């Protein structure tokens, strides 16, 4: 699959990675090469094959409903680039 | 669908199509995927684990209790419980979604199709389809009003367990939507799986609304997010339907979009910052395995289900001979229904040892007198100063003729104020009604003697005057005359 | 005390218990070695104080005769493991300054066993790479050189810093993580042992996630015995990881009986790939001969979907990574590049914080999961995984372990292959199937190529049968008698 500039721009937006216009063509080429490579899979007939959900043969473990965590506000905020009064802060969002 | 469901526009009639997505917070001590607490109103970022803050390398482990609550709710909605379900990641960027994805269920939810019976104001009922119920984690909270140029993020809610309950687009009026939310809330509260507290955000509603000409295919819908009261749900739908009709009638088209409801203006508006289309890139969360339930486990949970409002209502109508309307009111809250039944069967004692309280009378007292009085006092049934036993004994006193219904109202008011037992109040205040024929005859004679002309009129055929004589005797006896005995005696004495 | 750094982990352990030297002496020798190999850029963060502190505690315990399994043994930790209070970067700019307020389960297990931390090793950014050239902290140089060529070589990746540190005798062992071969390939390139255990054997809690369904931690050491000792300390059930398996950890060292008589070794015909270096093929034949001499039976097996493992991997891994790396958004930790709006802040932060290879993979992953492409790519790849797992299940009805080369080539020079991602991806052709099927695998140094660089052989086993894998690997190790040093 050859990706065009618009598709690459759209992917970049979805992934929230800024891509400058002058990078689009090169990136489109690289991504297209990778897609061509992985498209070998189309050679394989997978009709009726169950997609793998988990590689380990076990049941999903469940924990009891007990409060065992929290009250670590200082740890939660310790690495925050910006925070104040117990909150994280980000540029203002208008809903 | 009757034509009363249609809205009249300038160019003709429109039908409103409504589907609701309700997010109900699972009643649990800890979060869905972490051991942090869920209690409401804590200091910011205190009920947050490293997992809820999506620190690098953190992994989710599911809360088994929450799984059981989802199953229980599914069973309460007569829905299909799926023994195999899968947790997916719903990927999108937002400041209060720390991992950049929400763990939810997409293609294989824990609960599939079910149904809900709406009780409508006209006493009729109608069925709304439930599409599915899935488990997912809540996001954190963005505070936009704390700083001029910044949004503050509190992750206390991040990871709280939600059940998203999705309806079919089966509703046609705002009233039906209101009834749906009320009924769903009632069932959740009966089950105890969600406290239904809409002010604290335990129950939030996304309203999907579209309009169409009768008989035409569905129109484009909008989704109004996070509406948090029944009244607002109805207002949001009402406004949104009228807005869409206006747009369409003036030649415009409806955009599929997310909208917000403004409770102050009662209007909806498009959300900003949502201009690029969403592409959630769902895929099974590789940190979690598929969730497997056994038939046994589901059966075990089923055995714990309480009698639910629909069944209870049916039983009240059959067993207690109540009207559908009264039964509906009584069962809407489990506490009310339980109170009513305790009034009827109560401690088994009537005032004078007779059994078998009048259920209809009990229903009237609970619905009109008690609910009315509680309402005026701003109190919940669970905080009623009059116990079910006391109200039952009061009704017993009416039934065995110790007091009249009128006197009972006064006694009830004193009970409500003081919490005293009714018999004690009757004795203290000397309110026992007079059934002694001798004493009553004396009072009657006195009244008849003082109203000779009226007696003559009555005898001449003016039957209506009986009420006048009853009133006069009642007044004379301070309302304590036994009305049955009094009537009988009066008629005898007035006979020509 | 440079001879102390020449010891195997097992010999160092025994020497400490025999009081031949102290944990402090052992730690100091390794701290000096870490300093000596600075030019290799194998470490992002050095923690000599932690090492000395750990050694002091170890000496106290040794004196009381209370030594634990890895008491006083200095090791290095891949910078993908979160270490409490110690900078953890995953080789990325985006985790600038990040000091986790928590300790990963695997490293916590190692400290509980008495091991001592020398520092955090350099790696390909977010473990994405086979060369260690994608690290924000600069490439790692292999301690090895080609015969008659002094150009710097790559140590392999992504656990390249760990491989270089162990190969250069600066650590007795190191942790690695293996998503598509990131332990085994650098081990092969660097002439050391590297083991990826069964998926679910070591907890992933506290390890920066790359591709959750593939990632697995494991030991990198100079001998198979060392790997057995270290794996024993790392492994174990962790209720904090829903994919961690609740079964007892065997005494892996006990499994090294030297007796492989009667075992059946599968030789997959599909691993003879086009354009494979003939000396790799020769080494493989040599490995077969060694094992036969030790009494094994060889069986020709077929793993028909081998060729599709790599393309399936390059869908699954980027897809999961695109989601796992969404949390690096400049809000709660790490780098933030200011922006006028939230989205602008995200986009600038992530563009500046992620290197080229990471950006590329996040974008591929985003694309293959996006509406309309999910079935064609992601679901297809999951179906291929099922087929690959079935291939192995079928093969293990006929054999007990499988022997293959670890990598189709020896180490390449720093800067080579950088412009062609696909050529780089081919490094993992023999290791990726084991990740897709979740099976244990080990790389053992088995000889030198014509260029004088190490070559490895890989032993793959059944799920949770690390014991047989280790036993066969040790027999192979004895036969190969690899004594070469960088
Ligand atoms: Mg929704
Ligand atoms: Zn939802």
């Amino acid at each position: 699959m050859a990706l065009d500039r618009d598709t690459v721009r759209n992917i970049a937006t979805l992934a929230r990675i800024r891509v400058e216009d002058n990078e689009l063509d090169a990136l489109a080429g690289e991504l297209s090469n990778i897609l061509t490579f992985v498209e070998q899979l189309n050679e394989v007939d997978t009709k009726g094959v169950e997609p793998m959900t988990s590689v380990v043969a076990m049941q999903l473990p469940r924990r009891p409903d007990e409060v065992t965590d929290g009250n670590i506000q200082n740890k939660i905020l310790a690495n925050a680039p910006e925070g104040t009064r117990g909150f994280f802060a980000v540029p203002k969002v208008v809903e | 669908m009757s034509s009363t469901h249609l809205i009249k526009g300038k160019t003709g009639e429109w039908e409103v199509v409504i589907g609701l997505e309700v997010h109900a917070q699972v009643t649990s001590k800890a979060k869905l995927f972490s051991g942090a607490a869920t209690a409401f109103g804590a200091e910011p970022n205190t009920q947050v684990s490293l997992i809820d803050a999506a620190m690098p390398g953190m992994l989710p482990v599911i809360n088994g209790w929450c799984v059981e609550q989802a199953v229980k709710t599914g069973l309460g909605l007569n829905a299909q419980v799926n023994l195999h379900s899968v947790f997916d990641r719903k990927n999108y960027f937002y400041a209060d979604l720390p991992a950049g994805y929400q763990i939810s269920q997409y293609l294989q939810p824990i609960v599939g199709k079910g149904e809900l019976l709406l009780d409508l104001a006209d006493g009729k009922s109608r069925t709304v389809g439930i599409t599915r119920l899935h488990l997912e984690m809540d996001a954190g909270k963005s505070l936009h009003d704390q700083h001029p140029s910044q949004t503050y993020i509190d992750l206390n809610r991040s990871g709280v367990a939600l059940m998203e309950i999705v309806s079919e687009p089966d509703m046609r009026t705002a009233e039906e939507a209101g009834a749906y939310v009320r009924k769903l809330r009632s069932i959740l509260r009966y089950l105890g799986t969600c406290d239904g507290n809409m002010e604290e955000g335990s129950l939030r509603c996304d309203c999907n609304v579209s309009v169409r000409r009768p008989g035409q295919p569905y129109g484009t819908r909008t989704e109004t997010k996070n509406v948090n009261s029944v009244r607002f749900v109805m207002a949001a739908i009402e406004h949104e339907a009228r807005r869409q009709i206006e747009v369409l009638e003036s030649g415009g088209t409806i955009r599929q979009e997310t909208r917000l409801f403004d409770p102050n203006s009662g209007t909806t508006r498009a959300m900003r910052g949502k201009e690029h289309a969403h592409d959630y890139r769902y895929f099974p969360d590789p940190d979690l395995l598929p969730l497997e339930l056994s038939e046994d486990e589901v059966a075990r949970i089923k055995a714990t289900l309480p009698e639910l409002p629909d069944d209870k209502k049916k039983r009240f109508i059959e067993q207690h001979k109540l009207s559908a309307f009264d039964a509906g009111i009584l069962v809407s809250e489990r506490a009310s229904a339980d109170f009513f039944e305790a009034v009827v069967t109560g401690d088994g004692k009537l005032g004078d040892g007779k059994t078998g309280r009048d259920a209809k009378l009990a229903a009237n007292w609970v619905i009109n007198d008690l609910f009315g009085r509680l309402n005026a006092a701003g109190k919940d049934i669970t905080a009623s100063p009059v116990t079910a036993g006391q109200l039952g004994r009061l009704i017993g006193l009416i039934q065995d003729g110790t007091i009249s219904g009128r006197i009972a109202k006064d006694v009830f008011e004193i009970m409500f104020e003081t919490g005293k037992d009714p018999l004690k109040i009757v004795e203290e205040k000397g309110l026992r009604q007079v059934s002694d024929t001798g004493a009553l005859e004396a009072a009657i004679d006195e009244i008849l003697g003082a109203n000779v002309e009226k007696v003559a009129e009555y005898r001449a055929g003016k039957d209506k005057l009986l009420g006048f004589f009853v009133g006069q005797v009642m007044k004379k006896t301070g309302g304590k005359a036994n009305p049955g005995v009094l009537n009988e005696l009066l008629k005898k004495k007035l006979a020509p | 005390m440079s001879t102390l750094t020449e010891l195997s982990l097992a010999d160092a352990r025994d020497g400490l218990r025999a009081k031949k030297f102290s944990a402090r002496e052992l730690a100091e020798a390794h701290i000096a070695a870490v300093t000596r190999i600075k030019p290799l850029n194998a470490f992002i963060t050095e923690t000599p104080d932690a090492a000395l502190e750990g050694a002091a505690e170890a000496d106290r315990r040794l004196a009381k005769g209370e030594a634990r399994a890895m008491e006083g043994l200095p090791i290095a930790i891949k910078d993908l493991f979160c270490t409490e209070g110690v900078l953890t970067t995953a080789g990325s700019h985006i985790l600038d300054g990040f000091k986790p307020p928590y300790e990963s389960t695997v490293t916590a297990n190692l400290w509980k066993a008495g091991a001592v931390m020398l520092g955090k090793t350099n790696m390909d950014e977010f473990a994405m790479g086979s060369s260690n050239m994608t690290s924000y902290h600069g490439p790692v140089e292999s301690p090895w050189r080609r015969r008659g060529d002094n150009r710097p070589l790559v140590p392999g990746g992504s656990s390249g810093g760990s491989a270089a540190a162990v190969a250069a005798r600066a650590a007795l062992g190191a942790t690695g993580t293996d998503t598509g071969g990131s332990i085994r390939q650098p081990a092969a390139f660097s002439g050391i042992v590297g083991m990826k255990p069964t998926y679910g054997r070591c907890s992933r809690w506290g390890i920066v996630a790359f591709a959750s369904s593939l990632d697995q931690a494991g030991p990198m050491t100079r001998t198979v015995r060392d790997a057995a000792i270290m794996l024993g300390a790392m492994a174990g059930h962790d209720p904090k990881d829903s994919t961690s398996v609740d079964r007892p950890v065997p005494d892996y060292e006990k499994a090294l009986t030297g007796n492989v008589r009667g075992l059946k070794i599968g030789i997959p015909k599909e691993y003879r790939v086009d354009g494979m270096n003939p000396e790799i093929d020769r080494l493989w034949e040599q490995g077969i001969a060694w094992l036969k001499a030790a009494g094994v039976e060889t069986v020709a097996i077929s793993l028909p979907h081998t060729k599709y493992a790599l393309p399936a991997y390059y869908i699954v891994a980027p897809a999961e990574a695109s989601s796992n790396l969404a949390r690096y958004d400049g809000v709660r930790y790490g780098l933030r590049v200011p922006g006028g709006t939230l989205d602008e802040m995200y986009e600038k932060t992530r563009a500046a914080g992620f290197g080229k290879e990471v950006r590329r993979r996040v974008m591929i992953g985003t694309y293959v999961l996006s509406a309309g492409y999910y079935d064609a790519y992601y679901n297809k790849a999951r179906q291929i995984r099922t087929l690959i797992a079935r291939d192995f299940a079928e093969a293990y009805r006929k054999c007990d372990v499988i022997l293959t080369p670890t990598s189709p080539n020896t180490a390449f020079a720093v800067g080579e292959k950088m412009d062609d991602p696909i050529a780089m991806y081919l490094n993992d052709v023999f290791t990726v199937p084991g990740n897709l099927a979740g099976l244990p695998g080990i790389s053992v140094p088995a000889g030198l190529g014509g260029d004088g660089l190490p070559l490895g052989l890989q032993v793959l086993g059944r799920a949770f049968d690390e014991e047989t894998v280790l036993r066969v690997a040790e027999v192979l190790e004895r036969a190969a008698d690899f004594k070469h040093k960088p």
Side-chain angles (χ1 to χ4, degrees):
Chain A
M1 169 84 72
L3 300 182
D4 57 26
R5 289 167 62 94
D6 280 348
T7 309
V8 174
R9 199 180 282 122
N10 184 41
I11 298 169
T13 303
L14 273 178
R16 297 295 188 279
I17 296 174
R18 171 156 297 189
V19 174
E20 303 301 338
D21 279 352
N22 61 17
E23 299 170 295
L24 283 173
D25 288 326
L27 199 49
E30 287 167 21
L31 299 181
S32 300
N33 281 344
I34 296 169
L35 288 175
T36 306
F37 172 69
V38 301
E39 278 161 11
Q40 288 175 69
L41 296 189
N42 295 335
E43 295 165 14
V44 187
D45 181 6
T46 51
K47 213 166 285 158
V49 177
E50 197 51 42
M52 185 185 277
T53 11
S54 171
V55 76
V56 271
M58 60 180 274
Q59 288 258 321
L60 178 70
R62 304 184 203 168
R63 32 169 265 276
D65 182 32
E66 284 160 11
V67 177
T68 54
D69 210 337
N71 286 317
I72 46 166
Q73 194 201 46
N74 54 339
K75 287 189 180 184
I76 296 298
L77 297 169
N79 285 282
E82 225 179 324
T84 176
R85 290 169 31 212
F87 296 100
F88 296 101
V90 298
K92 189 152 191 119
V93 179
V94 188
E95 280 190 329
Chain B
M1 216 61 48
S2 78
S3 60
T4 55
H5 288 152
L6 300 180
I7 292 187
K8 219 165 162 51
K10 279 183 284 205
T11 60
E13 292 188 314
W14 296 88
E15 183 178 44
V16 187
V17 176
I18 304 155
L20 297 178
E21 289 167 28
V22 170
H23 284 92
Q25 177 179 336
V26 178
T27 306
S28 67
K29 298 201 260 309
K31 293 181 178 180
L32 184 55
F33 295 114
S34 87
T38 58
F40 180 78
E43 287 297 302
N45 292 306
T46 54
Q47 294 182 351
V48 181
S49 75
L50 300 165
I51 300 161
D52 308 318
M55 292 285 167
M58 291 301 98
L59 299 171
V61 181
I62 201 164
N63 183 333
W65 167 263
C66 296
V67 170
E68 287 167 29
Q69 303 317 296
V71 171
K72 199 170 178 183
T73 306
L75 293 170
L77 295 170
N78 294 313
Q80 169 73 38
V81 173
N82 295 324
L83 298 181
H84 175 93
S85 67
V86 173
F87 288 95
D88 296 284
R89 292 185 184 179
K90 179 181 182 178
N91 295 281
Y92 66 94
F93 284 87
Y94 200 65
D96 57 23
L97 187 71
Y101 57 83
Q102 176 196 32
I103 305 177
S104 181
Q105 297 190 297
Y106 183 52
L107 291 178
Q108 293 171 274
I110 185 165
V111 173
K113 285 202 180 308
E115 57 184 36
L116 191 112
L117 199 67
L118 297 193
D119 308 298
L120 300 171
D122 56 7
K124 290 193 186 119
S125 56
R126 104 185 198 70
T127 303
V128 171
I130 301 286
T131 313
R132 59 187 280 154
L133 174 155
H134 66 253
L135 270 173
E136 62 183 25
M137 51 172 274
D138 205 350
K141 211 174 150 84
S142 295
L143 295 95
H144 305 301
D145 54 1
Q146 305 283 307
H147 188 277
S149 63
Q150 289 187 323
T151 289
Y152 287 172
I153 308 297
D154 172 15
L155 299 178
N156 279 351
R157 284 200 70 88
S158 168
V160 164
L162 303 177
M163 297 179 281
E164 179 171 334
I165 303 162
V166 183
S167 85
E168 295 288 318
D170 283 353
M171 287 157 277
R172 295 293 176 268
T173 65
E175 288 68 37
E176 287 181 357
Y180 174 89
V181 178
R182 274 196 300 270
K183 184 60 171 285
L184 182 58
R185 183 173 175 274
S186 164
I187 291 173
L188 293 169
R189 285 170 56 87
Y190 264 74
L191 294 167
T193 56
C194 168
D195 67 20
N197 190 331
M198 296 187 83
E199 297 86 70
E200 291 181 5
S202 304
L203 201 74
R204 312 192 296 262
C205 197
D206 299 344
C207 311
N208 290 299
V209 176
S210 64
V211 299
R212 64 174 172 187
R213 296 291 189 189
Q216 292 299 301
Y218 291 140
T220 304
R221 64 183 172 86
T222 63
E223 181 178 19
T224 304
K225 284 259 185 219
N226 281 338
V227 188
N228 67 352
S229 84
V230 174
R231 200 157 54 83
F232 293 161
V233 165
M234 293 167 64
I237 291 169
E238 199 70 50
H239 174 268
E240 184 54 17
R242 293 198 182 277
R243 185 193 69 86
Q244 289 186 15
I245 291 168
E246 254 169 57
V247 169
L248 292 171
E249 290 194 329
S250 56
T253 50
I254 302 302
R255 281 207 317 161
Q256 183 166 347
E257 63 189 359
T258 306
R259 300 181 68 85
L260 285 178
F261 177 71
D262 176 9
N264 297 319
S265 63
T267 60
T268 69
R269 63 175 169 83
M271 258 176 103
R272 281 213 266 162
K274 293 259 169 185
E275 50 284 331
H276 23 249
H278 278 293
D279 186 340
Y280 291 123
R281 290 157 285 138
Y282 284 101
F283 74 105
D285 190 333
D287 288 333
L288 294 163
L289 304 156
L291 175 63
E292 312 284 351
L293 300 165
S294 68
E295 300 272 12
D296 278 2
E297 186 177 9
V298 176
R300 232 180 301 123
I301 295 169
K302 192 164 192 161
T304 67
L305 289 193
E307 184 184 35
L308 290 171
D310 289 336
D311 286 336
K312 207 181 272 288
K313 181 176 170 185
K314 223 165 108 196
R315 183 167 63 77
F316 279 11
I317 293 170
E318 279 163 16
Q319 184 186 334
H320 298 306
K321 309 282 180 261
L322 299 189
S323 70
F325 184 80
D326 284 357
I329 292 175
L330 288 172
V331 303
S332 69
E333 287 283 348
R334 188 175 177 174
S336 308
D338 288 349
F339 193 99
F340 162 74
E341 289 219 284
V343 170
V344 175
T345 55
D347 48 16
K349 286 185 292 189
L350 277 184
D352 62 354
K354 276 188 267 176
T355 56
R357 265 171 211 154
D358 186 330
K360 177 71 196 153
L361 190 58
N364 282 339
W365 272 91
V366 171
I367 294 170
N368 300 323
D369 300 280
L370 180 65
F371 286 179
R373 192 63 186 78
L374 286 169
N375 228 340
K379 282 196 164 115
D380 189 80
I381 182 93
T382 53
S384 170
V386 177
T387 67
Q390 289 174 333
L391 185 55
R393 284 192 291 282
L394 179 67
I395 289 164
L397 293 175
I398 301 168
Q399 270 182 262
D400 69 8
T402 307
I403 55 171
S404 68
R406 226 212 42 68
I407 289 290
K409 306 272 178 194
D410 299 339
V411 175
F412 174 77
E413 184 54 34
I414 299 168
M415 288 163 72
F416 198 92
E417 291 296 334
T418 64
K420 278 190 190 164
D421 208 69
L423 194 59
K424 195 159 178 232
I425 297 167
V426 168
E427 298 301 353
E428 279 176 6
K429 307 248 169 194
L431 296 174
R432 211 173 255 283
Q433 70 185 349
V434 183
S435 307
D436 168 28
T437 28
L440 275 181
E441 273 182 78
I444 290 168
D445 289 343
E446 202 175 312
I447 297 296
L448 295 189
N451 293 284
V452 188
E453 281 164 37
K454 288 216 163 67
V455 172
E457 279 174 48
Y458 178 88
R459 287 190 175 136
K462 207 168 173 190
D463 290 358
K464 276 193 285 179
L465 279 170
L466 184 65
F468 166 78
F469 295 119
V470 170
Q472 289 300 306
V473 180
M474 275 294 181
K475 204 168 158 193
K476 180 132 196 79
T477 58
K480 289 183 287 185
N482 180 321
V485 179
L486 172 59
N487 261 303
E488 218 166 288
L489 284 176
L490 256 176
K491 278 183 190 156
K492 212 186 280 169
K493 289 212 181 257
L494 284 166
Chain C
M1 291 300 277
S2 72
T3 52
L4 287 183
T5 60
E6 292 295 328
L7 294 172
S8 71
L9 187 139
D11 288 343
R13 172 193 63 183
D14 299 343
L16 282 173
R17 291 182 191 201
K19 310 274 192 306
K20 288 186 186 156
F21 44 84
S22 68
R24 181 178 179 89
E25 288 167 315
L26 190 64
E28 280 170 346
H30 281 93
I31 291 166
V34 169
T35 307
R36 178 172 48 77
I37 66 156
K38 256 190 202 305
L40 300 182
N41 198 26
F43 284 82
I44 293 173
T45 305
E46 295 169 17
T47 57
D49 292 346
L52 291 174
E53 235 170 81
E57 165 70 7
D59 279 329
R60 276 193 293 276
R61 287 200 180 238
L62 284 157
K64 285 191 278 181
E66 290 170 1
R68 297 162 291 180
M70 290 188 65
E71 197 68 61
L73 302 176
I75 57 169
I77 302 298
K78 188 179 185 180
D79 209 24
L80 203 61
F81 293 79
C82 290
T83 41
E84 191 167 356
V86 177
L87 182 70
T88 299
T89 70
S92 183
H93 186 30
I94 209 156
L95 273 169
D96 252 14
F98 177 61
K99 288 188 178 164
Y102 51 95
E103 184 78 29
S104 84
T105 298
V106 162
T107 48
N109 287 348
L110 285 164
W111 313 142
K112 250 180 271 160
V116 164
M117 177 161 76
L118 291 165
K120 305 290 294 288
T121 57
N122 203 345
M123 53 178 287
D124 278 306
E125 185 179 4
F126 282 105
M128 296 178 190
S130 311
S131 66
N132 228 295
M133 287 186 290
T134 72
S135 171
Y136 174 70
H137 302 276
V140 176
E141 246 178 55
S142 170
W144 292 83
R145 289 291 182 274
R146 282 185 188 128
R147 206 169 276 143
D149 180 349
N150 210 26
R151 273 184 302 165
L153 303 173
V154 304
S158 64
S159 312
S162 288
V166 173
R169 272 67 182 164
L172 292 174
T175 62
T177 62
D178 191 315
T179 305
S182 280
I183 286 175
R184 291 161 289 163
Q185 184 257 17
F189 275 22
S190 305
I192 64 167
V193 173
M195 179 164 204
K196 177 197 101 72
T198 311
Y199 184 86
R201 184 77 282 189
C202 289
S203 169
R204 295 184 295 113
W205 193 90
I207 302 174
V208 173
F210 162 15
S212 310
S213 74
L214 302 163
D215 296 346
Q216 188 56 206
M220 303 177 80
T221 54
R222 289 193 293 270
T223 71
V224 173
R225 180 169 302 273
D226 293 357
I229 295 167
M230 199 166 154
L231 177 61
M234 294 168 72
H237 175 238
D238 181 4
K240 292 188 288 189
D241 175 357
S242 298
T243 63
S244 163
V245 174
D246 190 3
R247 47 154 84 204
V249 179
D251 183 339
Y252 293 121
E253 206 179 354
K254 275 216 180 98
L256 308 178
T257 59
N259 181 7
V260 292
R261 202 157 291 278
L263 281 182
K264 293 197 174 90
I265 310 290
I267 310 299
K269 63 171 193 259
E270 290 81 4
Y271 278 56
R272 266 173 236 283
V273 296
D274 289 346
M276 186 160 89
N277 186 337
E279 59 192 26
I280 303 240
D281 206 15
R282 268 201 299 281
L283 182 80
W284 192 9
E285 287 303 332
Q286 179 65 68
I288 293 168
W290 283 330
L291 289 176
K292 274 187 176 162
V296 310
E297 213 182 294
T298 57
V299 196
I301 57 163
S302 172
L303 298 167
H305 295 91
T306 298
K307 135 174 215 217
Y308 301 107
L310 213 47
Y313 174 84
Y314 276 96
I315 291 170
V316 172
E320 294 181 7
S322 72
S323 177
N324 283 334
L325 269 57
R327 67 189 56 200
Y328 306 102
D329 59 6
V331 177
R332 282 148 292 115
Y333 39 77
L335 182 74
R336 172 185 290 196
V337 180
T341 65
L342 181 64
D343 276 333
E344 197 183 311
M345 189 271 277
Y346 285 154
E347 291 184 346
K348 285 182 166 175
T349 299
R350 290 165 61 80
F354 292 144
K356 200 171 158 63
E357 180 65 18
V358 172
R359 291 200 300 263
R360 189 153 52 210
R361 293 206 202 182
V362 166
M363 289 182 67
I364 280 287
T366 302
Y367 181 73
V368 299
L369 289 175
S370 65
Y373 299 101
Y374 178 84
D375 284 325
Y377 292 106
Y378 192 70
N379 233 15
K380 183 88 181 179
R382 287 169 66 212
Q383 289 176 309
I384 302 287
R385 273 187 91 169
T386 301
L387 293 175
I388 287 169
R390 274 188 208 161
D391 286 354
F392 277 109
E394 195 58 38
Y396 284 129
R397 289 159 57 147
K398 295 191 205 136
C399 64
D400 301 299
V401 294
I402 293 169
L403 183 73
T404 80
T406 306
S407 160
N409 47 266
T410 53
F412 41 90
V414 173
E416 271 174 18
K417 300 198 190 198
M418 279 306 277
D419 35 356
D420 183 1
I422 307 238
M424 186 67 82
Y425 295 173
L426 288 171
N427 266 287
D428 296 330
V429 64
F430 299 139
T431 47
V432 152
N435 296 85
L436 290 174
L439 303 173
I442 193 167
S443 177
V444 180
L448 293 183
D451 52 6
L453 294 178
L455 286 169
L457 285 173
Q458 171 178 239
V459 181
L460 290 168
R462 295 190 177 99
F464 297 102
D465 190 14
E466 281 84 2
E467 287 162 285
T468 308
V469 171
L470 286 161
R471 184 154 39 146
V472 173
E474 199 222 16
V475 167
L476 208 53
E477 178 183 50
R478 281 192 211 178
D481 195 26
F482 186 89
K483 288 261 164 56
H484 309 281
K485 285 187 205 168

